[in-house]
Amino acid sequence: MDPLIKAQDLRKFFPFRKGLFGREMVLKAVDGVSLEVAENRVLGVVGESGSGKSTLARMVTALDRPTSGDVLFRGKSVFSMDRHELKQFRRAVQIIFQDPFASLNPRATVFDTIAEPIRIHRLAEKKDIEQKVAGLLKDVGLGMEILRRYPHEFSGGQRQRICIARALAVSPRLIVADEPLSALDVSIQAQILNILSDLKKRDRISFLFISHDLRVVEYLSDEVAVMYLGKVVERSGAEGLFEKPLHPYTVGLFASVPAIKAREMGAPFDEKMEEKVEKAAPKGDIPSPIDIPPGCPFHPRCPKRFSPCDKAIPQLMEPAGQPGRLVACHLWN
């Protein structure tokens, strides 16, 4: 399938100085990421905090310009588009942020918030705008009675539904969802997740879905990219990845899930399983993107590291006998 949007070797570096006379340093937020999302597909992006997921989202939506690399929308570079083309791109590609309250204007009513993009893109006659807004609210499970109310009057889940309705107002082809569930209660997460899943089926909207919750990613995604310290370390179809993760970092992420679930539910935890999880889970904290280790960036935490890991950076490539999968690890290269 031809990609709807394609990121090519994206890098985003932030140079800075420590103190007035300190040496210049570089924070490598995203370092050489390439990926694509096809029509009516969901690409999940997972990784720990600090892995570069949100920075990637901002570049894909052209909110930030990359240090190098490019983003192609239907084959055309987003960063070389003229004003008219960029306006069409912003209509086609919408973003939902992690914090729904911070992304809503506290002085704008629900009606004004959702009606604004409709007016900007001239998608309805003035007399029809209120009816269109009411229809969008219905799509996300909200009623017309909230039209004249303000963001502070709603719960976190209701605010996120309003943000989704605003994104849907321009009939986008791709929605970049940057941790849209992390600020919500578990019961509300399920409701929002069902809304997003229904929208994909009904309107054939594509998603770049960023999350640290592996269960959510497994439920919604067709493909998954795993990020670590600004790089994609593994990419695969969702089913294959969850059946058999290849990169030790991915194995560690997945191994931690049953432990968390069991303890949350108050269930007794098997000692052998606990030992297995303990061995697979990444040790220590993710290193600073200012001081990335030499060689494979994961090697200081990797339980399977060996001689080349601290010297050579592994390339993201297809391992033998694993068609359609990509992994950046010396165990498979």
Side-chain angles (χ1 to χ4, degrees):
M1 298 175 67
D2 293 333
L4 176 66
I5 199 161
K6 184 175 184 179
Q8 293 183 324
D9 202 23
L10 285 180
R11 287 179 168 83
K12 185 64 176 178
F13 297 168
F14 296 95
F16 69 98
R17 291 183 184 275
K18 274 193 172 180
L20 185 60
F21 301 105
R23 65 186 180 90
E24 186 172 280
M25 305 177 77
V26 177
L27 188 154
K28 297 182 178 180
V30 173
D31 190 7
V33 169
S34 297
L35 48 80
E36 60 277 336
V37 185
E39 296 271 8
N40 194 32
R41 301 284 285 179
V42 178
L43 173 64
V45 180
V46 300
E48 293 171 282
S49 296
S51 59
K53 306 186 300 296
S54 293
T55 303
L56 175 66
R58 292 184 65 84
M59 288 190 288
V60 168
T61 51
L63 294 176
D64 285 345
R65 182 175 285 271
T67 303
S68 64
D70 206 353
V71 176
L72 306 181
F73 180 70
R74 299 194 190 278
K76 183 173 179 61
S77 171
V78 172
F79 300 105
S80 65
M81 289 180 174
D82 60 31
R83 186 175 177 180
H84 173 73
E85 290 171 326
L86 192 57
K87 185 177 180 180
Q88 294 304 309
F89 168 78
R90 297 210 180 280
R91 176 183 170 182
V93 179
Q94 290 286 300
I95 186 168
I96 302 170
F97 294 101
Q98 178 177 353
D99 185 350
F101 190 66
S103 60
L104 293 172
N105 182 348
R107 293 177 177 157
T109 64
V110 171
F111 173 76
D112 290 332
T113 295
I114 301 174
E116 183 181 21
I118 298 173
R119 293 191 187 106
I120 290 172
H121 293 279
R122 299 177 181 178
L123 301 178
E125 297 290 335
K126 187 175 180 180
K127 61 182 175 61
D128 298 326
I129 290 179
E130 184 166 323
Q131 184 178 352
K132 185 173 177 64
V133 170
L136 290 164
L137 289 173
K138 184 179 179 182
D139 287 342
V140 296
L142 297 172
M144 280 190 67
E145 68 277 1
I146 71 167
L147 283 177
R148 308 302 169 187
R149 292 166 63 185
Y150 292 86
H152 71 271
E153 300 179 63
F154 300 100
S155 67
Q158 289 172 318
R159 289 173 195 152
Q160 196 63 288
R161 291 175 190 230
I162 293 167
C163 291
I164 295 171
R166 179 178 59 184
L168 294 174
V170 291
S171 302
R173 301 315 312 144
L174 171 72
I175 291 178
V176 177
D178 184 11
E179 298 272 13
L181 309 178
S182 62
L184 308 177
D185 293 337
V186 174
S187 60
I188 305 300
Q189 287 182 9
Q191 295 172 20
I192 300 297
L193 190 60
N194 287 333
I195 289 171
L196 297 178
S197 180
D198 290 343
L199 289 171
K200 177 183 179 289
K201 294 172 184 174
R202 190 193 72 185
D203 298 335
R204 299 179 63 83
I205 297 173
S206 300
F207 285 88
L208 178 63
F209 190 85
I210 295 170
S211 179
H212 63 273
D213 191 326
L214 296 169
R215 291 164 292 179
V216 170
V217 171
E218 182 180 16
Y219 173 77
L220 193 64
S221 302
D222 299 301
E223 299 174 87
V224 181
V226 182
M227 287 189 68
Y228 185 78
L229 276 180
K231 294 180 179 290
V232 173
V233 296
E234 184 166 359
R235 182 169 174 188
S236 170
E239 186 176 346
L241 190 79
F242 281 88
E243 281 183 0
K244 185 183 179 182
L246 302 181
H247 197 284
Y249 176 61
T250 314
V251 173
L253 287 180
F254 288 6
S256 65
V257 174
I260 294 169
K261 285 180 72 175
R263 287 176 179 142
E264 280 179 350
M265 296 169 64
F269 197 63
D270 182 82
E271 288 184 7
K272 290 184 179 179
M273 176 62 76
E274 181 141 29
E275 185 180 345
K276 182 180 178 182
V277 169
E278 182 65 27
K279 288 181 178 179
K283 304 294 187 289
D285 296 325
I286 186 169
S288 168
I290 301 169
D291 188 21
I292 296 175
C296 172
F298 183 61
H299 86 264
R301 305 172 68 195
C302 182
K304 295 187 177 181
R305 62 181 179 268
F306 61 113
S307 56
C309 297
D310 61 349
K311 301 177 182 65
I313 299 174
Q315 301 302 306
L316 188 67
M317 55 194 296
E318 185 175 279
Q322 301 288 339
R325 302 190 64 171
L326 299 173
V327 62
C329 180
H330 292 301
L331 291 168
W332 297 96
N333 289 181

